[in-house]
Amino acid sequence: MTSAPARGRVALLLAVAAAAQAGSAAAQRPSARLGADSITVGDPVTLLLEVPAAEGETVRFPDSLALGGDVEFLGRASLDAADRVPGISAAAYRVTAWRPGDQELGSLALEVEGPRTTRRVRLDLPVLHVTSVLPEDTAGVEPRPPKGVLGPDRTLLPSLLLLALLLAVAIALGRWWARRRALARAQEPPAIPPATRALEELDRIRGAGLVARGEVKTFYVRTTRVLRDYLNAVEPEWGAGMTTAEIDANVDPGLRPVEKRELVTVLFQADRVKFARHSPATDEPEDLWQAVRDWIVAHEEVIEQRRAEAAAAARELAS
């Protein structure tokens, strides 16, 4: 049987261990790091985002990054086993740059949703150091002047004939290429308007029977993806990387207050199912699908009204 002093020492050791573990967790901070200290122009590099998350919390990482400038987003990357740390949520992205120098990646706002509250985390992204693809030892090297190749016994006639032949070939190739391009453009199918494409995709999602098979979350993900793609096509300032909260807080002159409220309501309802494990009632998926469709149709009317107003203003200025 353990004596009272021994039990007291065990309790003291457990308390010290718990305090050390809590201190270690508190020391963890959100971080963003690159897979290489520097890259050359056009080389892909991995950007790793790490956010501490307690048990039951979910970190909402964006599907893409709006970096802008000379830095290009290449897509999501898979995480290595070494990048998976208990208590840390991570996401990896592939980026590249097209101009040498230090490229600022800016910052990124994330949401960490817990069972009861949602907190916001802002990550300052690192600076991407980009070097030129040209070797450094060519700096200051001047080319030698050209040597003469025409002696006193050479004439210009063969060179002129060769030049004329090359020019004729270039003209023939140019005309052939122009005809080929014109034929290809004539055969291209007409572009599908964003609204038509979105409504057709919504009909396909509804007819796929996802809700009946119990794939409710997939139904919500595909339905809101159609809405996001439509927004990216007709309202480019709302990037795919913006969260619902950022859209809600964004001051946009293009939406009427009621239209913006309806949009944000639909996105928040879908986020509850996609990220908060909310189990919707039987009629909620159909209601959300109809709300997305109605919003797109109504927004098309707003776009047509904008075009009509712009045309009227142009005619007034012309007169």
Side-chain angles (χ1 to χ4, degrees):
M1 180 179 298
T2 305
S3 62
R7 288 196 299 270
R9 287 193 295 272
V10 171
L12 178 60
L13 290 175
L14 292 176
V16 171
Q21 184 177 4
S24 175
Q28 295 175 339
R29 294 290 185 271
S31 65
R33 51 192 173 90
L34 293 166
D37 294 335
S38 64
I39 63 170
T40 57
V41 172
D43 286 344
V45 66
T46 301
L47 174 64
L48 181 64
L49 308 182
E50 296 178 319
V51 178
E55 183 177 356
E57 288 186 331
T58 301
V59 182
R60 298 180 182 173
F61 290 105
D63 294 332
S64 61
L65 302 178
L67 301 173
D70 298 309
V71 183
E72 181 181 356
F73 170 71
L74 300 180
R76 293 287 293 264
S78 58
L79 291 172
D80 298 332
D83 296 326
R84 301 183 182 276
V85 180
I88 301 294
S89 292
Y93 304 86
R94 301 284 282 174
V95 300
T96 190
W98 300 105
R99 184 183 297 274
D102 291 344
Q103 303 293 337
E104 299 285 346
L105 303 185
S107 61
L108 184 65
L110 301 175
E111 287 188 350
V112 181
E113 184 169 304
R116 297 182 179 178
T117 60
T118 298
R119 56 188 175 92
R120 294 177 63 85
V121 173
R122 180 164 292 277
L123 278 177
D124 292 327
L125 302 182
V127 177
L128 181 58
H129 304 286
V130 186
T131 59
S132 174
V133 295
L134 298 177
E136 297 181 358
D137 57 0
T138 59
V141 176
E142 296 183 1
R144 295 179 180 179
K147 294 182 179 180
V149 295
L150 296 178
D153 56 345
R154 299 285 298 272
T155 64
L156 292 176
L157 182 58
S159 299
L160 293 176
L161 291 176
L162 179 60
L163 180 61
L165 178 61
L166 293 176
L167 182 61
V169 171
I171 293 174
L173 288 176
R175 291 178 177 176
W176 172 80
W177 179 254
R179 288 195 298 269
R180 182 179 178 182
R181 291 284 295 174
L183 180 62
R185 284 194 297 268
Q187 295 176 348
E188 289 179 356
I192 302 176
T196 302
R197 184 169 58 248
L199 296 179
E200 290 177 353
E201 181 62 22
L202 285 175
D203 291 339
R204 281 192 290 269
I205 293 172
R206 188 183 192 184
L210 296 173
V211 177
R213 295 198 304 268
E215 301 178 29
V216 178
K217 183 176 180 180
T218 302
F219 179 84
Y220 274 74
V221 170
R222 291 181 59 182
T223 301
T224 52
R225 172 52 57 193
V226 171
L227 179 58
R228 290 281 194 169
D229 291 342
Y230 172 75
L231 286 176
N232 289 337
V234 300
E235 305 289 354
E237 64 272 16
W238 302 335
M242 293 185 68
T243 64
T244 302
E246 288 172 332
I247 292 179
D248 186 22
N250 198 32
V251 178
D252 47 89
L255 283 184
R256 294 172 293 120
V258 63
E259 189 181 9
K260 178 178 178 180
R261 184 169 61 254
E262 292 170 353
L263 171 64
V264 172
T265 299
V266 167
L267 292 177
F268 271 126
Q269 288 176 352
D271 288 347
R272 292 180 62 203
V273 177
K274 293 191 296 183
F275 305 115
R277 301 179 181 178
H278 170 67
S279 297
T282 304
D283 56 344
E284 286 186 21
E286 178 68 20
D287 292 344
L288 181 127
W289 181 92
Q290 189 64 48
V292 170
R293 196 180 196 285
D294 293 344
W295 195 93
I296 293 175
V297 172
H299 193 62
E300 280 299 297
E301 296 177 357
V302 173
I303 293 176
E304 289 299 326
Q305 182 179 357
R306 291 182 195 167
R307 292 171 181 168
E309 293 174 354
R315 288 193 299 268
E316 184 176 353
L317 288 176
S319 61

